[in-house]
Amino acid sequence: MATMTMVQALNAAMDVMLTRSGDVVVLGEDVGYFGGVFRCTDGLQRKHGRARVFDTPITEAGIMGIAVGMAAYGLRPVAEMQFADYIYPACDQLISEAARLRYRSGGEFTAPVTVRAPYGGGIFGGQTHSQSPEAIFTHVAGLKTVIPSTPYDAKGLLISAIEDDDPVMFFEPKRLYNGPFEGYHDRPVVPWAKHPASEVPDGHYAIPLGKAATVRSGTAVTILAYGTMVHVAMAAARDAQVDAEILDLRTLVPVDIEAIEASVRKTGRCVIVHEATRTGGFGAELSALVQEHCFHHLEAPIERVTGWDTPYPHAFEWEYFPGPARIAEALRRVMEE
Amino acid sequence: MDAPMPVPAPLSLHVPEPPQRPGSEIDFTGLAVQPAGTARRPAIDCPAADMTDLAYDLVRVLDDQGHAVGPWDPALAPDTLMRGLRSMMTVRAYDERMQRAQRQGKTSFYMKCTGEEAIAVAQAMAVDRSDMLFPTYRQQGLLIARDWPLVDMMCQVFSNAGDRLKGRQMPVFYSSKEAGFFSISGNLGTQYSQAVGWAMASAIKGDTRIAAAWIGEGATAEGDFHHALTFASVYRAPVILTLVNNHWAISSFHGIAGGERTTFAARGLGYGIPSLRVDGNDFLAVFAATRWAAARARANLGPSLIELFTYRAAAHSTSDDPAKYRPENAGAHWPLGDPIDRLRQHLIALGVWSEARQEDLAREVAEAVQAAGKEAESLGTLDKGPYHSARTMFEDVYKTMPWHLERQRRQAGV
């Protein structure tokens, strides 16, 4: 057991998997000698060799095409997209190839690729280093989408993603890389070391995909969140003094419908939180699922608290970000019903 | 005081246009065709920079009399040549049968490769059986040359109960891991970078197998072509990159893909990849060039780009009518001839073949295709079934069916 940041936990997951299986390779822009712009692959090339951990040209579409071919051979590539915002050129290889390969080949060829991509704002990255594009991929049949919120989960979920026989989109909340973040940008940065989920076991452990975690038990309202917003939701519930039950979904597809159903049936209220833009966001799917599965238990309309439907603005980051004050407002509104 | 600037003439846009359109006679006289046997054959370790001429030349082995000439003659045994002839004739007979089946309403769509049979057949024979192939939709000859059962291919075209792809893919989008034939995609070009990834994986694992990929001249405009050549060059991937220039991308002639300015083979030079331009209707030249590239790849010398210069003699697909955009019967006038006729002529010139044996072989091939057709149709056709159970529609999206698909399957009542 060691105290780790999320960056170190992700690094440990790849290290474990590179050690356990000669079929695992790590590729991406700057991931080799340098160890990645966020340091997630630091030291892996030195330890596992250049043929297992290597730099690629700047071409997300190329990286993805190469990864699909490697997977068809039988490898388990872990491809880093330097920012989730850069992923769009890779969409043809992701959506039409990786996601469809098992289906279209009658199960003969598969694409067990893990695509790692730092997502989300709060680092003054402007519109091309802040996006949360998860809903584009949750819409694609054949892909799984995973988003951790702590170092402990990050390692266990990334190991599961690499071991999974289907392609997995693994979005990493970059604002959480080096410390938990409650959404108050004007307060001092808290290191992971003070958070219990920074205790990360050595070696191999897996957190199953498709299982949510209840990070706060409560009776008044259910908050559905993932990634950075789990911590922001915790702060909002505390500040609003609402006895919220907070579910960290961890996997968006396949989503843990049983956990959602059990919680909303108990509380009768639901607030959905994500940093991504609102229209067609994953919150819309969650809202529909809650309505379909829990309609007769609902005592208030479902609320969504999300990023606005604008590009991520550089100077107005904190007006854009769905911070604890906006979530607290939504909590008060559903409690008044 | 400066002299007044002249008023510039208005700019105009150049939009390439093929030399002939419907209504005029096809005329290939502008085509520069080098005599057979004149192109040099470099050593397999020749750097790309020392063989740039071969990206503009045309590697040809069979001359107009059917003799094999020059340094690229692969000197194949007559049995090998006869096997190639049989496979090419099988491809053509198979195409005819499946085209007819589509016209009869037994399936939705079909694509022939008429005039391009030498490409897939000779290339499949020039690589090892265990090498991995990443084809386009016009390389059905790879499966046939690898003796893959015609019935299995036909079942895919009919989407019937025997279709290994369970009715999920359009006709001709074959896939067979056992045949070393990668699942064909409708998104053109994607297989090119995938092949390079497969080849890199083979090198990472210290394997001895290589990959081969195909792309059309039209799809070289896709980014995947650039990604593939970049990665292949950077990591010296053991891959054969074949570029089939059949001059037509549906209705767009090669000029729309950039063919007016330079050869397609020359595209490889900018990446430092040894690049050859080869007569695609010359079985021996295609075989020899592919063997050369395979030897390079297997010796860890990296990728090669081979432009196979050919002509799409038939329509793009059953949904296409070339009479609407090019002179009729253009393929019959292609100056580099028909690949089957040319190999037959060569075998006769070698003294190991005759018109009578040719007729016997044609009959044999026709009977085999007919028998396979009957067997495949007995397993179902797209218009009448039977098909796989509709329940299979929900399978293989993921390895294990997640709850939401299980629920949707129940809703669908299958």
Side-chain angles (χ1 to χ4, degrees):
Chain A
M1 196 75 95
T3 301
M4 287 190 185
T5 66
M6 189 180 283
V7 168
Q8 290 165 331
L10 293 164
N11 184 285
M14 285 183 272
D15 187 23
V16 164
M17 291 309 294
L18 283 159
T19 305
R20 279 170 73 98
S21 166
D23 292 337
V24 174
V25 293
V26 172
L27 69 160
E29 296 154 15
D30 303 301
V31 305
Y33 185 88
F34 177 57
V37 296
F38 290 103
R39 320 302 306 143
C40 290
T41 55
D42 189 25
L44 295 180
Q45 185 182 73
R46 202 161 48 245
K47 183 167 173 188
H48 299 282
R50 278 206 303 274
R52 304 275 312 281
V53 181
F54 58 90
D55 291 327
T56 63
I58 304 172
T59 160
E60 292 74 19
I63 292 167
M64 205 52 225
I66 292 301
V68 172
M70 286 180 161
Y73 177 93
L75 300 189
R76 289 184 180 271
V78 182
E80 177 175 309
M81 301 285 154
Q82 201 160 73
F83 285 85
D85 315 64
Y86 301 170
I87 215 166
Y88 308 119
C91 281
D92 192 31
Q93 286 285 356
L94 260 171
I95 295 172
S96 299
E97 300 295 314
R100 305 287 151 79
L101 192 51
R102 178 188 295 281
Y103 193 75
R104 77 178 202 215
S105 68
E108 286 193 350
F109 294 106
T110 59
V113 181
T114 302
V115 179
R116 294 181 40 244
Y119 86 96
I123 63 155
F124 286 105
Q127 58 180 301
T128 56
H129 303 82
S130 306
Q131 294 172 56
S132 301
E134 67 273 10
I136 292 172
F137 301 98
T138 57
H139 190 59
V140 177
L143 294 179
K144 295 180 178 177
T145 300
V146 176
I147 303 183
S149 71
T150 66
Y152 177 82
D153 280 359
K155 183 175 173 186
L157 287 169
L158 183 54
I159 286 173
S160 286
I162 297 170
E163 288 177 339
D164 198 275
D165 290 327
D166 291 308
V168 178
M169 305 301 297
F170 194 90
F171 289 107
E172 300 166 1
K174 68 172 96 68
R175 180 66 209 223
L176 301 185
Y177 267 159
N178 293 301
F181 178 62
E182 294 190 337
Y184 294 106
H185 63 281
D186 44 1
R187 295 186 187 171
V189 175
V190 181
W192 270 117
K194 297 198 172 167
H195 194 286
S198 68
E199 287 297 310
V200 176
D202 298 329
H204 179 277
Y205 67 94
I207 294 174
L209 305 188
K211 292 283 174 219
T214 304
V215 294
R216 187 188 191 284
S217 294
T219 55
V221 51
T222 298
I223 304 179
L224 302 179
Y226 49 87
T228 310
M229 301 317 292
V230 172
H231 301 269
V232 181
M234 290 283 279
R238 181 192 65 213
D239 296 354
Q241 295 186 311
V242 172
D243 184 25
E245 178 145 295
I246 302 178
L247 255 55
D248 177 356
L249 296 179
R250 302 197 291 193
T251 301
L252 306 193
V253 174
V255 77
D256 189 348
I257 190 66
E258 285 175 15
I260 295 172
E261 213 176 302
S263 180
V264 177
R265 284 183 180 204
K266 181 174 77 176
T267 63
R269 292 178 167 83
C270 183
V271 172
I272 297 162
V273 186
H274 59 63
E275 193 180 339
T277 50
R278 185 183 191 86
T279 303
F282 194 65
E285 178 63 28
L286 289 172
S287 176
L289 284 173
V290 169
Q291 185 274 130
E292 285 165 13
H293 288 255
C294 315
F295 182 76
H296 295 293
H297 296 80
L298 285 174
E299 290 165 34
I302 300 163
E303 284 264 354
R304 281 184 290 165
V305 185
T306 70
W308 307 120
D309 282 343
T310 70
Y312 217 117
H314 183 240
F316 307 111
E317 206 164 66
W318 303 112
E319 284 78 6
Y320 176 94
F321 189 85
R326 275 172 60 197
I327 300 171
E329 243 174 75
L331 290 173
R332 286 188 205 102
R333 267 198 308 276
V334 294
M335 292 314 297
E336 279 164 15
E337 288 287 329
Chain B
M1 216 174 120
D2 290 342
M5 292 286 285
V7 179
L11 297 166
S12 66
L13 183 71
H14 171 70
V15 179
E17 183 63 17
Q20 292 100 33
R21 286 294 195 188
S24 58
E25 287 294 306
I26 191 77
D27 179 9
F28 288 119
T29 51
L31 207 72
V33 174
Q34 291 83 339
T38 55
R40 70 193 177 96
R41 184 181 187 281
I44 59 166
D45 61 352
C46 181
D50 296 340
M51 51 174 285
T52 56
D53 53 314
L54 287 162
Y56 303 94
D57 207 330
L58 193 65
V59 174
R60 302 181 63 206
V61 173
L62 287 171
D63 69 11
D64 293 345
Q65 286 71 48
H67 299 297
V69 293
W72 285 94
D73 175 10
L76 296 175
D79 278 358
T80 309
L81 297 174
M82 287 176 207
R83 199 150 48 83
L85 184 67
R86 174 191 288 269
S87 290
M88 289 200 289
M89 288 167 66
T90 304
V91 172
R92 191 163 291 181
Y94 173 81
D95 274 358
E96 288 305 328
R97 169 130 194 148
M98 300 320 284
Q99 169 107 351
R100 206 162 54 244
Q102 190 275 340
R103 296 298 187 222
Q104 291 165 346
K106 292 173 184 170
T107 190
S108 56
F109 178 84
Y110 191 72
M111 300 178 97
K112 297 164 77 179
C113 67
T114 315
E116 301 175 40
E117 291 89 347
I119 292 167
V121 170
Q123 294 197 277
M125 290 172 66
V127 298
D128 284 357
R129 178 60 181 75
S130 59
D131 292 334
M132 185 68 194
L133 315 175
F134 290 78
T136 78
Y137 43 66
R138 227 179 288 282
Q139 278 83 47
Q140 55 268 55
L142 296 172
L143 285 168
I144 288 171
R146 283 191 163 181
D147 294 325
W148 194 250
L150 294 180
V151 174
D152 191 80
M153 296 171 68
M154 289 169 163
C155 286
Q156 194 283 325
V157 173
F158 291 134
S159 280
N160 65 16
D163 175 12
R164 61 172 46 246
L165 307 183
K166 302 175 187 174
R168 293 170 186 161
Q169 283 276 65
M170 262 179 80
V172 316
F173 284 40
Y174 311 105
S175 173
S176 168
K177 193 169 190 175
E178 201 185 323
F181 186 100
F182 191 70
S183 158
I184 292 172
S185 178
N187 295 35
L188 302 191
T190 49
Q191 75 284 356
Y192 230 46
S193 42
Q194 291 161 358
V196 174
W198 194 99
M200 288 170 65
S202 186
I204 288 169
K205 298 297 274 185
D207 199 339
T208 57
R209 293 176 294 163
I210 63 172
W214 286 260
I215 198 168
E217 92 284 353
T220 61
E222 290 284 5
D224 287 292
F225 179 74
H226 169 63
H227 310 144
L229 268 65
T230 300
F231 276 82
S233 168
V234 168
Y235 303 98
R236 220 169 59 199
V239 61
I240 304 169
L241 298 167
T242 293
L243 188 173
V244 180
N245 176 7
N246 71 7
H247 287 72
W248 291 94
I250 305 187
S251 73
S252 300
F253 86 121
H254 63 95
I256 293 294
E260 284 183 336
R261 303 282 165 260
T262 184
T263 67
F264 287 95
R267 302 223 180 327
L269 299 179
Y271 302 87
I273 296 177
S275 304
L276 302 171
R277 189 160 165 274
V278 178
D279 177 354
N281 291 19
D282 179 338
F283 182 91
L284 296 183
V286 174
F287 184 96
T290 309
R291 237 327 134 74
W292 181 88
R296 274 180 47 73
R298 234 178 285 280
N300 220 24
L301 293 165
S304 313
L305 180 69
I306 304 174
E307 174 187 352
L308 295 178
F309 195 70
T310 184
Y311 198 82
R312 197 194 76 209
H316 166 71
S317 72
T318 49
S319 307
D320 175 42
D321 176 9
K324 288 200 162 70
Y325 51 80
R326 72 181 192 192
E328 286 200 61
N329 209 18
H333 297 90
W334 180 241
L336 294 168
D338 177 82
I340 294 176
D341 289 347
R342 286 176 71 190
L343 187 56
R344 184 197 58 195
Q345 185 195 22
H346 176 56
L347 281 162
I348 291 171
L350 285 176
V352 298
W353 199 243
S354 65
E355 291 297 349
R357 288 188 68 180
Q358 178 74 21
E359 279 170 29
D360 289 345
L361 178 58
R363 201 163 32 245
E364 231 178 273
V365 161
E367 282 167 8
V369 169
Q370 192 185 21
K374 282 188 178 156
E375 189 183 338
E377 288 184 29
S378 76
L379 295 168
T381 52
L382 183 63
D383 57 335
K384 298 203 175 93
Y387 319 104
H388 283 274
S389 153
R391 182 191 180 95
T392 61
M393 173 167 80
F394 294 94
E395 294 168 0
D396 295 329
V397 181
Y398 299 93
K399 187 179 184 187
T400 310
M401 197 181 294
W403 70 269
H404 63 283
L405 280 179
E406 185 57 46
R407 194 157 177 260
Q408 288 168 29
R409 186 187 64 72
R410 285 198 303 271
Q411 280 174 358
V414 293

